[in-house]
Amino acid sequence: MPLPVKPQPSRSALEELPLAQQPDPSQLDNIKAQLDLVLLALEALAGIGSEAMLQAAADLNLSDVLADRVALWRLRQSSPLRRGQGRKRMDVEEARALVLVIGYLAKQHQELIRRAIALLEQLTEQHREPHEAALLGDYLDAFSNTYQERMEDGDLTPQAQLTHLALKLLIDLLFYSAPNGARRLWMALLDRSDRANGPASKEAL
Amino acid sequence: MPTAVLRRYTPPTCTLEVAANGSALSRWADRPVLTDLRFQLSFDDPKLPPDRQVTVEGNGSQLEELREAVNQYVQTLLGQTLSPVSNGVAEAKATAPHTASAVRPALQRNGTDLAPASVYLQPEGWLNHHLCLGHLASDESGAFIPLSTLQLFDLANALDEYHAEALTLPTVGRSHWLKQPGQWGKVAAVLVLAAGATGAIVKFIADVSTPAINTASADRTGSLSDQSLASRRISEPSAPLPPTAPLKLEVPAAPPAGMTKAPDPSPSASPQAKTMPNPETKPSSPQFSTLPPTQILTVPPQSSFPGTGNAPAGAPYTTAIPQAGVAAAPGAAPPQGAAAPSIASDAASDANAFSRMAPENYSIDASRVNSGAGANGVNSAEGNSQVATSSTAFDTIPQVAEVRNYFQKRWQPPQGLTQTLQYSLVLNPDGSVQRIVPLGAASEVYVDRTGMPLMGESFVSAVEGTSNPRIRVVLLPDGKVQTFLESK
């Protein structure tokens, strides 16, 4: 009996994410941290858990890269910002896969992201705090709590800084929800990691 | 004359309209190739007061420049550090102006100086942005347009969507109609119509024909009253007529001549169409329309449509109109009896096709046709039966249903497709496909996603007689398939 052929990830999707040269380790560290944060934002905004992420990977024919919860956990734990991080690894293919998953999930939740941004714009224009809108308030709380729980310096990071980070990520998610969102994310990851020098840390993000 | 292509991209807070000529090179590319492109970008966020809803216009290279500027800016925004140097939102706001200088040098990364009139963006705070128009600025727009983050997002998406769909050749000159002053007004009128539902388009066609029909007296001989009843039953009150519509009705002088003399009224139709967009040829999609019917990019190339004595093959929706106009043409000799019933049936079948296109908005059905026939006292039994026959089914030949079944099994609308795709299929007598004519740019783009049979491949059953029936296939974005006979 012939072996079943594994479905290949969409060629055009991977080709959309070009790479001029292999990132060096500190660049890769930077990329891991960024990806973990973007996924954190999706979790906090839309309640997206590992099941949804794995389902997205399956829908995109990326299950050979993101096979199960263990693999997903490893990739997220690879972020240098995480507590107790034991230098888990992530290679470029895995990073690409996560980028495609993020684009896919952001697209699925575009309406929600759009609504959150609209609320943010409205409140900011009125010089009111973002927390005043329930959608934003819940997002910011969830983001802060999860960040503090998971990240090495979680307890040391001022609340206002976390709020700013969360809102910046929210705006980024809007652009990642576009049809070419995955590509935009990939280019942004490379841009930021290019600029980051020295040891991976929050400041270098 | 190359096909003119109109595209419209409508995210929530802006509208990008692109008009261009389709180059003959499109047949060799996998997507439409455009020349003489012009765009109109309207910042029409409903939340903005009308005086802030501005419009920017330009040509193809300016559109590219705009797209590049927006893309670079968005990428720069995204590439900013995730973590603020300082603490807190307020201080992040304070650091935002620094990023303005970060953006402009980005545009100069490749070493060339930024020309003073070029288009660029800069942040205004952390949620707002200024689109600095440079040489695109006008009195209406001012030097820059403030954009919220959502408006920037929508603008970027519209520009990317346009880019994904078209290859643009450098503009070498403008075609006549694109240069006409006030052209955008006419285009806008057409697009306003296009923005309505299919039923509205059909209603429009009905209303366009109505003024002519009203002059048709009921005491004309049987075949002509078939015309009037064919049109009368589709006349509905008051869809607003665009100013260009009445001009169309002057055309009728040609079709009667077309019927009694040599066929092909298209020469008289085309000057009209050349100087204004022809709404009737628009497929039932609000997203785009295709101009003049005399030539449509086809697969494979062909020199002209066969003049079968009916309306120009490339303008099937006008079939009803010129023939309706026959009734209005004063002093027109009554068409030969042989020709008239087939015209009536074609008009009926096309009108029925309209009704099938928009069943939810439109209540034409066979019973109305027949009751209309009765009310008009049609005294030609032949005409009456012709109308009745074609009105009960437009599966006038079995192949129409076979083609529909074929596509129903295969048609899977691609994700994100919003346009209706239409193809004219000309069949060989043995039931294979002689020719496939995509109608409109989207149909050309998506032809290989439709399950279209290959030419010469056996497809449906052999056709009775030796004719080459021409069948229209309509593929709707919701997965529905419709077919009707265009001509035998």
Side-chain angles (χ1 to χ4, degrees), chain A residues 120 129-131 136 139-141 143-144 147 157-170, chain B residues 82 84 88-89 92 126:
Chain A
L120 182 61
E129 286 301 308
H131 294 85
L136 291 175
Y139 165 66
L140 292 170
D141 285 346
F143 186 93
S144 299
Y147 187 100
T157 313
Q159 187 59 49
Q161 200 168 340
L162 286 181
T163 298
H164 178 90
L165 178 58
L167 293 176
K168 162 76 168 97
L169 284 164
L170 182 62
Chain B
L82 281 183
V89 174
W126 65 302

Side-chain angles (χ1 to χ4, degrees), chain A residues 16-17 99 174-191, chain B residues 70-71 74-75 78-79 152-153 155-157 160:
Chain A
E16 263 178 50
L17 309 182
V99 165
L174 178 67
F175 289 96
Y176 301 153
S177 72
N180 60 351
R183 188 165 186 280
R184 284 186 178 145
L185 171 56
W186 182 247
M187 303 305 291
L189 291 175
L190 296 177
D191 276 348
Chain B
V70 170
N71 264 344
V74 166
Q75 212 52 57
L78 293 174
L152 172 65
F153 176 63
L155 174 61
N157 288 345
D160 284 338

Side-chain angles (χ1 to χ4, degrees), chain A residues 139-152:
Chain A
Y139 165 66
L140 292 170
D141 285 346
F143 186 93
S144 299
N145 293 339
T146 314
Y147 187 100
Q148 283 163 343
E149 207 177 277
R150 290 186 189 166
M151 305 303 176
E152 186 76 49

Side-chain angles (χ1 to χ4, degrees), chain B residues 22 71 89-90 109 127 158 169 194 249 264 317 324 373 383 391 403 408 443 447 449 475:
Chain B
N71 264 344
V89 174
R109 227 179 256 155
L127 278 180
L169 296 178
L249 298 177
D264 199 10
Y317 283 144
S391 65
V403 171
Q408 254 155 5
S443 302
V447 64
R449 308 285 297 271
L475 302 175

